[in-house]
Amino acid sequence: MLGAEFVQLSLTPMLIGILSAVACALPGNFLLLRRQALIGDAISHVVLPGIVVAFVITGTITAWPMMIGAGVAALVAVGLIEVIKRLGRVEPGAAMGLVFTTLFAAGVLLLERTDTSAVHIDVDHALMGSLESLIWFDATGWGSLLDPVALAGLPPQLGRLLIVTVAMVLFLRVMWRGLVITTFDPGYARAIGLPVNWIGFALVVMTAIAAVAAFDAVGSIIVIAMFVCPPAAARLMTNRLVHQIWWSVGFAVLSAILGYILAGYGPGWIGAAASVSAAGMIATVSGVILALACLFAPERRRAQQATA
Amino acid sequence: MSIPALTLKGVTVSYGGRPAVFSVDVTFPIGSMTAIIGPNGAGKSTLLKGALGIVPLLAGEARFFGLSYQDARRRVAYVPQRASVDWDFPARVIDVVMMGLYAETGFLRLFRQRHRDRAMECLSRVGMDAFAERQIGALSGGQQQRVFLARALAEAGELYILDEPFAGVDAATERAIIAVLKDLKAEGRTIIAVHHDLSTVPDYFDRVVLLNRERIADGPLEEAFTQTHLQSAYGGRLAAGQVADLAARVG
């Protein structure tokens, strides 16, 4: 099972799945504690109109215009959410829900009216990505990991996600104290002179970068699930933030590996012929992990205690 | 006359288009211990938040030791309202107290043993050293308030600004907090606290600011904490007998 065929067909999709899951789960921890988990949802939906607009403008689907278009759309969405929150005086959740559904719908319409028959963007792709197709053609076995020619043929998504994940880790490390204190006690953070709004904005920008990089490879279903499920399950495992982050990374990796294997081989085990969407299965596994954490995790009683 | 710890000049703050605090002028001398009192919605917390730059000032200015807040920040320690944060946050007591050291260590420098020692020292000053490893959500309201005070102690400020430090705390906590505040005053530090229990004002504080959106009165207790001023700050919300009784204890 782990021979040359595995390296060629499964290794890179699995690594990309793992990196996508981790890159999204890391900022998800802070979004969750700030009660902003929906912002990940919002950003990953507005990526679609961003990509379509970028395609309309440039006429190509090369990576960088798409990434930039998606990033700009994410920032526009974040700005719109702020404006609606302030002018409409509605609660943040409602403002986010409004913005992302509207922009996603606009993206679908735009996509319909645009001639994309020659290129590979459609709504299915936006939702579920194409994880299974990110295979490593040039690999002939494990030895290819040391072969520069074969390595050059790795799917470019892998490199991008690796860079984004490393950047995310660095961001959290450098900004750790600022993120912690502005999340826990924003009033005090302002009083000791922290740029509370800028730190919040930096977190959202990093979230957008993770969402865009992951979206390209795995679609928005995984992105949305990974922003919320692993951090939420991790919160139920521990009462210390550092430990929560590690648990969330563990759950993200577990979801990606287990989800990929179950999607590829699971149907075969129960006698069905075709495999199912890896993205869908990875998101499902993360949801099941959260459900199990709700039932069995050590700190699950916390919430009831606090209100009692 | 020496420079005051805090001077407010024409401080005006608005919340959602309506002025919450209007043109307040008050001076807080160094070494004084001042209660800010007034009815609910009088803008007591808002006045302090405006001075500390947590909410924007519409007009006026706050000078700390004669300097802008920016320049005097390290000399000021702030204790927000306990209810303003989510105590379900995944942190231990010691983690919260160490936040008081961020201004000193910056964002990246690792905490050393001496930082940890100082945090523990601050915790023992408020009688919470046995709880250092406890999850903050597992504490009682009074214990949470003491943790907040310990965090402010870790900042080693000269001016302590406390927002409702006695709100919803048990009697033991109230005694512990007032003992710490009186110690700070004895060391020559300045205390400003939003307070709502008029009956303890004469025992705890030496100055008072009466506020009801505008400044009604401020100064030493015997000048400001009078029947007339209380009456005009609280209007009909205090029984006349109660007011006379309070003022008599000062006079």
Side-chain angles (χ1 to χ4, degrees), chain A residues 177 185 188 191 235 302, chain B residues 69 86 88 109 151 155:
Chain A
R177 285 177 193 170
D185 193 347
Y188 179 78
R235 177 66 189 92
R302 190 173 39 80
Chain B
Y69 181 57
D86 175 10
D88 195 28
R109 204 137 55 86
R151 178 176 70 178
E155 290 182 65

Side-chain angles (χ1 to χ4, degrees), chain B residues 29-49:
Chain B
I30 287 178
S32 65
M33 196 158 161
T34 309
I36 299 181
I37 57 174
N40 287 336
K44 307 183 290 286
S45 301
T46 308
L47 179 69
L48 295 182
K49 285 185 191 158

Side-chain angles (χ1 to χ4, degrees), chain A:
Chain A
M1 185 170 151
L2 292 179
E5 194 181 71
F6 171 83
V7 175
Q8 194 179 40
L9 298 179
S10 295
L11 181 64
T12 44
M14 265 176 132
L15 285 176
I16 287 168
I18 290 171
L19 287 173
S20 303
V22 171
C24 294
L26 283 171
N29 282 288
F30 282 99
L31 296 177
L32 192 76
L33 291 170
R34 291 165 167 254
R35 307 194 185 289
Q36 283 187 333
L38 260 177
I39 210 141
D41 209 340
I43 288 171
S44 44
H45 274 87
V46 302
V47 162
L48 178 68
I51 286 178
V52 179
V53 170
F55 170 73
V56 170
I57 293 173
T58 63
T60 67
I61 53 157
T62 47
W64 285 110
M66 297 291 116
M67 302 273 280
I68 291 166
V72 170
L75 295 184
V76 166
V78 169
L80 272 177
I81 289 168
E82 275 304 307
V83 168
I84 291 173
K85 228 162 54 181
R86 288 191 189 165
L87 294 184
R89 301 228 179 119
V90 295
E91 53 141 341
M96 290 178 207
L98 187 69
V99 168
F100 80 69
T101 46
T102 311
L103 288 184
F104 185 75
V108 172
L109 292 180
L110 202 59
L111 192 56
E112 271 187 0
R113 303 304 308 163
T114 312
D115 179 22
T116 52
S117 50
V119 297
H120 185 58
I121 38 176
D122 53 54
V123 176
D124 280 354
H125 182 213
L127 286 176
M128 300 197 279
S130 52
L131 193 50
E132 294 89 341
S133 70
L134 299 173
I135 50 178
W136 189 9
F137 285 113
D138 303 325
T140 51
W142 288 100
S144 301
L145 284 174
L146 297 172
D147 173 8
V149 180
L151 283 174
L154 277 170
Q157 286 88 344
L158 185 61
R160 278 202 292 271
L161 275 165
L162 189 63
I163 292 169
V164 167
T165 307
V166 170
M168 188 65 76
V169 170
L170 287 177
F171 169 73
L172 292 187
R173 182 64 203 96
V174 171
M175 300 291 285
W176 180 257
R177 285 177 193 170
L179 284 166
V180 169
I181 200 158
T182 54
T183 303
F184 171 62
D185 193 347
Y188 179 78
R190 274 214 172 84
I192 63 171
L194 293 183
V196 176
N197 294 342
W198 282 111
I199 292 174
F201 186 68
L203 177 63
V204 170
V205 169
M206 288 306 290
T207 302
I209 291 172
V212 170
F215 173 88
D216 176 39
V218 298
S220 56
I221 287 184
I222 291 197
V223 174
I224 294 165
M226 288 306 145
F227 277 130
V228 181
C229 292
R235 177 66 189 92
L236 299 170
M237 298 302 294
T238 172
N239 271 324
R240 289 189 63 186
L241 187 51
V242 180
H243 298 174
Q244 180 189 322
I245 304 270
W246 284 114
W247 274 107
S248 74
V249 170
F251 285 146
V253 172
L254 185 66
S255 306
I257 295 176
L258 212 55
Y260 188 82
I261 293 173
L262 285 177
Y265 304 99
W269 295 337
I270 56 168
S275 58
V276 297
S277 149
M281 188 56 89
I282 291 172
T284 306
V285 169
S286 75
V288 170
I289 290 175
L290 176 57
L292 290 175
C294 289
L295 292 174
F296 304 111
E299 301 299 336
R300 68 189 186 284
R301 296 202 171 278
R302 190 173 39 80
Q304 287 103 305
Q305 269 173 3
T307 50

